Amino acid sequence: MSDAMNNAARYRAQRDAGELPESEQPAEAPMVLNAQNKSEFVETAIQLAIRQGVFDDLPGAGKPLEGLGTHHDPDWWIRRKIETENLSGLGPPALMLRVEDRGLDDDLDQLGREEDVRSVLEDFNRRVIEARRQLLGGPPVVTKTRDVDAEVAAWRERRTAARAIADTDAPERADAQPRRRRGWWRRSA
């Protein structure tokens, strides 16, 4: 007798006896996660993933974990996110003003008009004073306000020095003759 005939005979016998065939058995209810079986479910999912090779060749495999053995920082995750995403502009005003104060001269050197320099300095001073008045707590504001007139004078001096350097480099560039370019239709030998 063939397998198909055996299966048909078994089906008829089960039906006549009042039993449901295996294919028509009611399906088991899906597992409901609760406190008792949650760990079993998680462990089963991990074991299945290991068998399927999901964890093979992960980046950092065989390397020590970063930050182990150092002091405990409860905000480690947000610091790492800021570093990896290269986020800026986040943090308490006291710290942000310190960072801005360090690079303010370079930012001012990028400006071309005295009015723009004055407005940037006035805005910076306003934000420093505002941060000193804050009542929310946080680190103290140690950033000093800048004297607008003195900063404008320093900006002018840096600007004239940069122009003088550029003017001394200009004759050297003018003396150098540009290289002749060959046309695209000529091939080099």
Side-chain angles (χ1 to χ4, degrees):
M1 225 192 234
S2 69
D3 287 338
M5 293 176 72
N6 281 337
N7 290 340
R10 192 175 302 119
Y11 175 79
R12 273 188 245 114
Q14 287 176 345
R15 187 185 62 199
D16 292 341
E19 298 175 9
L20 290 173
E22 293 174 9
S23 62
E24 296 178 12
Q25 292 286 339
E28 292 182 25
M31 183 168 68
V32 177
L33 285 180
N34 55 31
Q36 288 82 21
N37 63 4
K38 188 175 187 179
S39 63
E40 295 172 17
F41 177 78
V42 170
E43 186 62 33
T44 304
I46 290 172
Q47 291 302 322
L48 286 172
I50 289 172
R51 288 186 197 127
Q52 293 171 355
V54 173
F55 299 124
D56 296 345
D57 300 325
L58 289 176
K63 297 177 186 172
L65 297 174
E66 295 177 15
L68 286 182
T70 60
H71 68 286
H72 175 68
D73 182 12
D75 297 328
W76 65 269
W77 60 275
I78 191 69
R79 293 183 198 281
R80 182 170 295 162
K81 184 71 172 173
I82 289 171
E83 289 171 7
T84 57
E85 299 291 327
N86 199 14
L87 300 175
S88 62
L90 301 174
L95 298 179
M96 297 308 301
L97 286 170
R98 286 182 203 169
V99 172
E100 186 179 349
D101 186 41
R102 276 189 231 127
L104 190 58
D105 288 338
D106 295 333
D107 294 341
L108 294 177
D109 290 342
Q110 300 297 320
L111 301 174
R113 296 182 328 162
E114 183 177 328
E115 297 84 27
D116 295 338
V117 173
R118 286 186 182 278
S119 67
V120 167
L121 288 168
E122 288 167 0
D123 178 58
F124 177 76
N125 288 341
R126 180 190 52 79
R127 288 184 287 123
V128 168
I129 293 168
E130 237 176 65
R132 286 180 185 163
R133 291 180 184 158
Q134 74 177 353
L135 300 174
L136 301 175
V141 179
V142 295
T143 306
K144 297 179 181 178
T145 57
R146 297 219 182 177
D147 182 14
V148 176
D149 294 327
E151 290 295 325
V152 169
W155 171 77
R156 277 193 206 119
E157 290 175 15
R158 289 192 304 265
R159 191 172 166 100
T160 55
R163 282 185 184 160
I165 291 172
D167 291 342
T168 59
D169 290 343
E172 293 173 5
R173 282 185 266 135
D175 292 341
Q177 292 197 3
R179 286 181 47 203
R180 282 186 71 157
R181 291 184 157 185
R182 290 186 162 196
W184 59 271
W185 59 89
R186 292 189 184 178
R187 293 186 184 181
S188 60

